Amino acid sequence: MNFDINKIRADFPILSRKVNGKPLIYLDNGATTQKPKVVIDAIEDYYTNQNANIHRGVHTLSQEITVAYENARATVQKHLNAEHPHEIIFTKGTSDSINLVASSFGKKYISEGDEIIISAMEHHSNILPWQQVCEEKGAILKVIPINEQGELILSEYKRLLTVKTKIVAITHISNTLGTINPIEEIIALAHVKNIPVLIDGAQAVPHTSVDVQLLSADFYVFSGHKLFGPTGVGILYGKEKWLNELPPYQVGGGVIKTVTFEKTEYADLPLKFEAGTPNIEGAIGLAVAIDYINKIELNKIATYEHNLLVYATEALQKIEGVKIIGTAKNKASVISFVIEGLHPFDIGTILDQLGIAVRTGHHCTQPLMQFYGLQGTVRASFAFYNTQVEIDVFINGIERAIKMLR
Amino acid sequence: MSIEETEQEIIDEFELFDDWMQRYEHLIDLGKSMPLIKDLYKTEDKLIKGCQSSVWMHSELKDGNVFFTADSDAIITKGMVALMIRVLSGHTPEEIMHSKLNFIETIGLTKHLSPTRSNGLLSMIKQMKLDAIAYRSTFEN
């Protein structure tokens, strides 16, 4: 398919609305992405024509929606090139997926004195669950440092990998800096010592294709809403052998084979990890979103977004007093920056008046902000429906904000 | 001047502006001209932390009236803080506790008070009223 930006923008109804009397310019895609009409329609159709509970009834509606739900799982499997559909677990989102692995893996494999490796650029979602396991078990959290450009220092990582290391949990792409981490190498280095690796793919899946078999990732997690799908649904991919080994996370309806008051026999994968009635319309909406981006093709998306990144970076650098935070060689379409003497909140407030949505603050990466000695940054994160014209308006907005605030 | 009269004065002031830019420019000017809080009060226990910007606030009781000084790291927040101080500072605890502060809505700045803005302003108003309650209870004792 040709990359036709006008046609693509027309697929996203929200992009034609106004904010504070100005056309919306949505540059907060790192926080959440907008939804194409096909996804919105799929959710509406679910409640209009298909609603029933899955895996429960013998009636037609229940059977139809069970098939649709399992087809959604197969779509995710194919998208990640996982070996089996039951390696795909539907969760509430990235945080939920990481909590699941941290809790279940921690219960079985972590004990006092063990070490867990994360990095200095992690989102709080990939810090707190591990911190909690460490507190419970008396384990130690080890942090791979970064350099000034915002790249992981791999020599330090190699040093941290020891016989005590039980798991490595690293982000694929930094939500604050845009750094694309060399996860192939990170995984390979850990596997030499038989250490499993979890990759937080929340910021990566909207920008790049992921092949979990090629990567040999043990766990790969992401959220539906950052991939143009609905909120409240996420994915945990786990290698079959790991998911079979891990104990259930939450228990309740749907996770069992047999229950007596004395003992419960748990269901096979994937149901073992999907307690309660799941977010059915979320799963279905996510599959539609995946089909949608695959029709546009992720490699075309990546090229287009890279051009936006280069264009915006060059324009920003021309503004006096702007300092870009995160200048890794390998970057996704995320730009964090500060402006000398100005508070990110003030800049964000003025931009909002101009209809421009950016994120300001610490981006749920406070340790990273501490590294740079900052309270926060302004972050513009681009999706494939953004345009150079929008970036021009954004740059004008920044200049206007500077004039007002100085 | 009563709290309501000061509120009306601010409403009249903001009515002179045609668009949001002028309103914000005025807020920014107010922020820039606000007397700063004394450095000795810019401490952790005077800090009202928002997710986005922070406010330091100090209050004192003089002759039965409460006086506030404050500062913020963000200039627009500081402008809002300046307005709040102009309205509430120098009044009795009783008056402060019962103030409705409707002017914020009238001048079109309500969104700065929504919890999602997390700029510390909502917490600051709460703290101003809590301080007032605390001073009043010292009278009663």
Side-chain angles (χ1 to χ4, degrees):
Chain A
M1 202 177 109
N2 272 335
F3 193 91
D4 180 346
I5 185 67
N6 292 323
K7 199 174 159 296
I8 285 169
R9 286 183 66 82
D11 290 337
F12 291 81
I14 204 169
L15 296 181
S16 56
R17 76 159 275 187
K18 290 193 165 177
V19 168
N20 293 320
K22 309 280 190 326
L24 165 68
I25 295 181
Y26 187 77
L27 305 180
D28 194 17
N29 295 286
T32 197
T33 53
Q34 300 303 343
K35 320 305 172 199
K37 183 83 166 48
V38 283
V39 169
I40 300 165
D41 288 347
I43 295 166
E44 191 185 334
D45 187 59
Y46 168 75
Y47 284 115
T48 311
N49 295 309
Q50 308 173 57
N51 180 48
N53 210 333
I54 54 162
H55 300 139
R56 306 283 198 280
V58 294
H59 59 82
T60 305
L61 277 183
S62 175
Q63 286 178 6
E64 281 177 4
I65 200 60
T66 301
V67 169
Y69 185 77
E70 291 307 322
N71 282 344
R73 195 188 306 277
T75 300
V76 179
Q77 175 210 351
K78 223 176 112 208
H79 187 64
L80 297 178
N81 192 32
E83 197 177 350
H84 308 288
H86 58 254
E87 291 176 319
I88 305 299
I89 310 294
F90 284 115
T91 64
K92 286 188 288 188
T94 305
S95 293
D96 192 34
S97 299
I98 298 173
N99 272 283
L100 188 161
V101 176
S103 167
S104 293
F105 189 93
K107 223 180 272 177
K108 186 151 180 181
Y109 295 106
I110 310 275
S111 31
E112 203 178 332
D114 285 344
E115 294 176 358
I116 296 168
I117 297 179
I118 60 169
S119 88
M121 66 171 82
E122 298 309 314
H123 188 280
H124 295 164
S125 312
N126 199 29
I127 302 174
L128 274 50
W130 303 110
Q131 214 167 40
Q132 204 161 35
V133 170
C134 286
E135 271 172 30
E136 274 166 26
K137 299 280 186 164
I140 301 149
L141 202 59
K142 293 279 177 181
V143 183
I144 310 169
I146 56 171
N147 61 24
E148 191 62 30
Q149 290 75 44
E151 296 162 320
L152 295 176
I153 304 173
L154 286 182
S155 56
E156 289 295 315
Y157 170 54
K158 286 177 201 164
R159 217 176 44 79
L160 290 177
L161 284 168
T162 69
V163 286
K164 288 182 178 167
T165 312
K166 284 288 145 47
I167 191 165
V168 176
I170 296 289
T171 190
H172 191 164
I173 293 180
S174 158
N175 70 310
T176 303
L177 307 171
T179 310
I180 304 173
N181 286 322
I183 56 167
E184 303 82 353
E185 201 179 343
I186 288 167
I187 294 169
L189 284 167
H191 282 181
V192 170
K193 299 193 170 172
N194 282 320
I195 302 162
V197 181
L198 175 142
I199 301 295
D200 171 357
Q203 295 293 330
V205 284
H207 305 296
T208 177
S209 55
V210 172
D211 182 329
V212 289
Q213 288 193 76
L214 202 67
L215 288 170
S216 190
D218 299 279
F219 302 100
Y220 194 98
V221 302
F222 65 90
S223 299
H225 73 97
K226 286 189 163 74
L227 188 58
F228 316 98
T231 50
V233 68
I235 295 299
L236 161 62
Y237 157 81
K239 278 182 186 163
E240 184 186 39
K241 65 159 186 170
W242 282 116
L243 294 179
N244 274 330
E245 289 289 319
L246 297 187
Y249 172 51
Q250 291 171 333
V251 293
V255 299
I256 53 96
K257 275 181 187 157
T258 57
V259 177
T260 65
F261 284 117
E262 287 72 38
K263 192 175 167 50
T264 295
E265 195 187 347
Y266 285 99
D268 294 329
L269 294 174
L271 301 185
K272 174 173 129 184
F273 289 111
E274 293 181 2
T277 296
N279 183 347
I280 302 167
E281 78 279 20
I284 289 169
L286 174 56
V288 173
I290 288 173
D291 286 340
Y292 175 81
I293 53 165
N294 282 332
K295 224 183 273 170
I296 297 173
E297 295 173 37
L298 268 166
N299 57 350
K300 285 181 186 160
I301 288 175
T303 308
Y304 180 81
E305 289 177 344
H306 183 73
N307 290 337
L308 288 181
L309 175 73
V310 171
Y311 185 77
T313 305
E314 281 174 4
L316 266 176
Q317 276 168 336
K318 284 189 191 134
I319 301 175
E320 212 194 302
V322 167
K323 185 178 178 209
I324 293 176
I325 307 298
T327 48
K329 272 177 238 88
N330 210 358
K331 254 185 95 166
S333 52
V334 172
I335 310 182
S336 258
F337 60 96
V338 289
I339 301 175
E340 214 189 313
L342 302 187
H343 196 286
F345 171 80
D346 291 326
I347 299 163
T349 303
I350 301 293
L351 290 178
D352 176 52
Q353 286 297 326
L354 296 165
I356 304 162
V358 293
R359 177 83 187 266
T360 59
H362 54 65
H363 317 296
C364 298
T365 53
Q366 287 184 7
L368 185 60
M369 292 293 113
Q370 287 150 20
F371 171 79
Y372 284 104
L374 297 169
Q375 288 294 324
T377 69
V378 182
R379 181 189 70 182
S381 47
F382 310 110
F384 60 90
Y385 42 64
N386 291 127
T387 65
Q388 290 196 354
V389 174
E390 287 184 313
I391 292 173
D392 292 339
V393 177
F394 163 64
I395 296 292
N396 281 335
I398 300 266
E399 282 167 344
R400 201 163 163 185
I402 292 174
K403 216 178 274 170
M404 284 178 75
L405 294 164
R406 279 255 162 84
Chain B
M1 212 185 279
S2 73
I3 286 179
E4 286 75 22
E5 280 163 357
T6 315
E7 288 190 54
Q8 192 54 51
E9 191 184 77
I10 292 170
I11 291 167
D12 294 343
E13 219 171 275
F14 273 78
E15 259 170 12
L16 297 173
F17 306 126
D18 303 327
D19 62 5
W20 71 269
M21 248 190 94
Q22 292 179 343
R23 279 205 300 274
Y24 274 83
E25 273 167 354
H26 185 56
L27 262 187
I28 291 162
D29 286 343
L30 288 173
K32 284 177 182 165
S33 60
M34 183 170 79
L36 292 178
I37 191 171
K38 281 184 192 147
D39 268 346
L40 81 129
Y41 297 131
K42 239 170 140 176
T43 51
E44 197 64 25
D45 62 316
K46 305 276 180 196
L47 181 64
I48 300 164
K49 241 188 161 131
C51 189
Q52 300 271 345
S53 57
S54 301
V55 175
W56 290 266
M57 193 194 71
H58 171 70
S59 69
E60 271 172 20
L61 189 69
K62 262 187 244 156
D63 305 326
N65 292 324
V66 187
F67 291 84
F68 297 99
T69 51
D71 195 7
S72 171
D73 51 353
I75 193 84
I76 293 173
T77 308
K78 209 164 144 183
M80 295 289 293
V81 167
L83 287 178
M84 296 311 307
I85 288 184
R86 190 164 135 200
V87 170
L88 294 180
S89 200
H91 288 279
T92 65
E94 200 75 26
E95 287 166 342
I96 293 166
M97 280 161 55
H98 294 114
S99 61
K100 300 252 175 2
L101 305 175
N102 292 328
F103 78 102
I104 299 167
E105 195 184 334
T106 317
I107 63 174
L109 294 171
T110 316
K111 70 175 174 186
H112 285 281
L113 294 182
S114 79
T116 58
R117 301 299 286 197
S118 311
N119 53 12
L121 201 69
L122 194 64
S123 312
M124 175 180 143
I125 294 173
K126 223 184 265 170
Q127 193 57 51
M128 288 171 116
K129 293 200 168 192
L130 283 174
D131 283 8
I133 292 170
Y135 287 128
R136 195 191 57 165
S137 67
T138 59
F139 299 156
E140 284 166 356
N141 293 333

